[in-house]
Amino acid sequence: MNADELQAQIQEKTGLLTALQNEFKNVIVGQRHLMQRLLISLLADGHVLVEGLPGLAKTLAVKSLSQAIHADFKRIQFTPDLLPSDLTGTLVFNPKDGNFAVKQGPVFCNILLADEINRAPAKVQSALLEAMQERQVTIGEESYPLQEPFLVFATQNPIEQEGTYPLPEAQIDRFMMKVKISYPSKDEEKIILDRMTGSHLYQVKQVIRKEEVLILRDLVKDVFVEDSLKNYIVQLVTATRTPKDYHLEIGRYIQYGVSPRASIYWAMAAKAHAFLQQRSFVIPDDIKLVAADILRHRIIRTYEADAENVSSEDLIQQILVRIPIP
C-alpha cells in the first residue's frame, strides 16, 4: 500500500476513532493522557500498566473501552492468596464420564483488568506472563490460544506497598507502556461531582466492532517510519545502556538500560500516535511524546539515583535533550 492509499484509508477510519474518543469523553472527565494511551495500546497491540491513586477512574476507563468496542471484559482483583488456576482456569473431573474437562478462567477474554497486580505472588505472575507474551494459557498438558484482540491493563497503587510483591523485571518489560495518572483539576472534579451524583448515568455505546480493531491495527503497521527516525529510536535506547558514548553524565544513576523490546514497542507506539493524528507517517514528536511511557518502567535506577531523588523521568528528559533530532 502506497502513502496516498494509506492516507485515504486513515481518513476513512477517522470517524470510528472520533466516535470512540467521544464515548470516552461522555464517561471520563479529564484523564486525556490515559485515554490516548489506552487507544495507542489498542491500536499497537500492547499491554499497559497504570499507576495511580485509588478513585481516579482507572477501572471505569478500561471498562468503557471494552464496552465501546463490544469486547469481552474481565476484572480480577489480585490478592496474596490468589492461585494461578483462579486466573487461567483448571481441569475439573466429571464423574459421569470419568474424564477431566477444562474450566476456563477469566483470562480468556479480550480485555483483562488486573487490579493491583503487584499484590499477587510469583506463581500467579508467571501464569499471567505466559498469557501476555505467548497469547496462550497452559492448563494441564494442553495449551489454549487466547482470542484476539487480547490486552492486559494492570493497575498499581503507588502509596500502599505493604503486602505487595514487586513485579519481576521480565514481566514489567512485557508492558508496552507504564502510564502515571494524577488527581483531576478543580473544574474537572466539579464536573465529576455533577455527573456521578445525578439521576442518570451515561451508558457507553458500542461504536466499533472487535473485527474493525484488527483492521485498524493492520493500518497502523503500515504507517511509515523513515530510517533516520528508526536510527533516532535506536540512539535513544542505546543512550540508556551506554550514556558515556553520548556524553551523558547519568551513568551512575542507571543500573541497567532498556531492552530491545523497548525499541519495538516505541516504534509501534509512535506509529499509533501518528495514526491518531491522522497521519500516514511518523514525525519526531510522535517518538518524543510517548518516550516517558515507554521507558519509565524499563530503566532500572541505582541506589544513588534513589538517594538523590533522580527519577526515571529526569533521566529520560536528559537523554531526549542530548540526542539530536534528525
Side-chain angles (χ1 to χ4, degrees):
M1 186 185 302
N2 61 42
D4 291 336
E5 290 174 340
L6 178 59
Q7 188 64 48
Q9 291 269 18
I10 292 174
Q11 294 294 337
E12 183 182 331
K13 300 297 183 183
T14 297
L16 292 176
L17 292 174
T18 301
L20 193 54
Q21 290 170 324
N22 288 338
E23 284 301 299
F24 276 141
K25 292 176 183 177
N26 288 331
V27 178
I28 307 297
V29 179
Q31 302 295 8
R32 293 182 181 85
H33 183 79
L34 173 62
M35 293 297 99
Q36 188 183 61
R37 294 316 184 251
L38 291 183
L39 288 177
I40 287 175
S41 71
L42 182 69
L43 294 171
D45 191 18
H47 311 295
V48 178
L49 178 62
V50 182
E51 185 173 283
L53 297 167
L56 296 180
K58 300 185 292 293
T59 301
L60 181 60
V62 177
K63 188 175 182 180
S64 299
L65 174 63
S66 65
Q67 291 172 332
I69 67 173
H70 197 58
D72 185 15
F73 170 77
K74 297 288 176 61
R75 175 182 177 272
I76 304 176
Q77 183 67 45
F78 278 46
T79 57
D81 60 348
L82 199 69
L83 299 174
S85 58
D86 296 328
L87 177 70
T88 61
T90 188
L91 294 172
V92 178
F93 181 70
N94 187 342
K96 288 184 178 180
D97 55 18
N99 292 322
F100 285 91
V102 174
K103 179 177 174 58
Q104 294 184 347
V107 76
F108 288 89
C109 64
N110 296 122
I111 294 180
L112 177 70
L113 176 60
D115 222 347
E116 296 193 272
I117 189 173
N118 55 334
R119 292 195 177 278
K123 286 186 177 180
V124 177
Q125 302 296 351
S126 178
L128 182 60
L129 180 58
E130 181 190 11
M132 292 173 64
Q133 180 63 26
E134 307 299 334
R135 307 299 172 101
Q136 68 176 26
V137 170
T138 301
I139 303 175
E141 297 180 354
E142 296 291 329
S143 295
Y144 301 89
L146 298 171
Q147 56 184 309
E148 289 291 341
F150 173 72
L151 292 173
V152 174
F153 295 105
T155 68
Q156 281 190 162
N157 184 341
I159 61 171
E160 208 173 9
Q161 299 304 316
E162 187 174 349
T164 63
Y165 301 82
L167 294 181
E169 299 300 337
Q171 184 171 2
I172 290 177
D173 199 38
R174 261 68 176 192
F175 286 101
M176 172 182 275
M177 293 182 287
K178 179 180 179 180
V179 181
K180 289 187 175 182
I181 59 176
S182 58
Y183 290 120
S185 66
K186 288 190 294 184
D187 292 337
E188 289 171 343
E189 189 134 4
K190 174 62 166 55
I191 297 173
I192 293 171
L193 193 62
D194 290 338
R195 285 190 184 179
M196 302 308 293
T197 58
S199 57
H200 299 288
L201 295 179
Y202 184 82
Q203 298 296 317
V204 178
K205 300 189 294 290
Q206 179 190 350
V207 295
I208 183 173
R209 293 180 292 111
K210 290 183 290 186
E211 294 76 16
E212 289 174 312
V213 171
L214 302 180
I215 294 172
L216 292 176
R217 284 181 177 179
D218 288 337
L219 291 176
V220 168
K221 290 177 183 177
D222 287 334
V223 171
F224 179 69
V225 185
E226 63 179 21
D227 280 344
S228 64
L229 292 181
K230 291 178 183 177
N231 291 333
Y232 181 50
I233 291 175
V234 171
Q235 285 183 312
L236 292 168
V237 165
T238 307
T240 69
R241 304 169 191 162
T242 55
K244 282 187 177 180
D245 292 349
Y246 298 91
H247 307 291
L248 283 159
E249 301 298 326
I250 58 174
R252 67 184 188 276
Y253 298 130
I254 300 177
Q255 187 173 4
Y256 297 105
V258 304
S259 72
R261 194 175 281 114
S263 303
I264 299 168
Y265 282 154
W266 204 343
M268 286 305 302
K271 287 185 175 189
H273 190 275
F275 189 89
L276 288 174
Q277 308 305 314
Q278 302 176 28
R279 274 187 279 104
S280 61
F281 55 91
V282 169
I283 62 174
D285 276 353
D286 295 318
I287 296 170
K288 295 178 71 174
L289 288 172
V290 299
D293 301 301
I294 296 291
L295 299 181
R296 65 162 52 98
H297 54 305
R298 293 188 164 89
I299 293 177
I300 301 176
R301 297 176 301 129
T302 61
Y303 289 112
E304 190 172 350
D306 283 332
E308 297 184 24
N309 291 321
V310 177
S311 67
S312 296
E313 286 80 2
D314 295 330
L315 299 172
I316 294 166
Q317 186 58 38
Q318 289 192 50
I319 291 170
L320 291 175
V321 169
R322 172 65 66 178
I323 307 299
I325 298 172

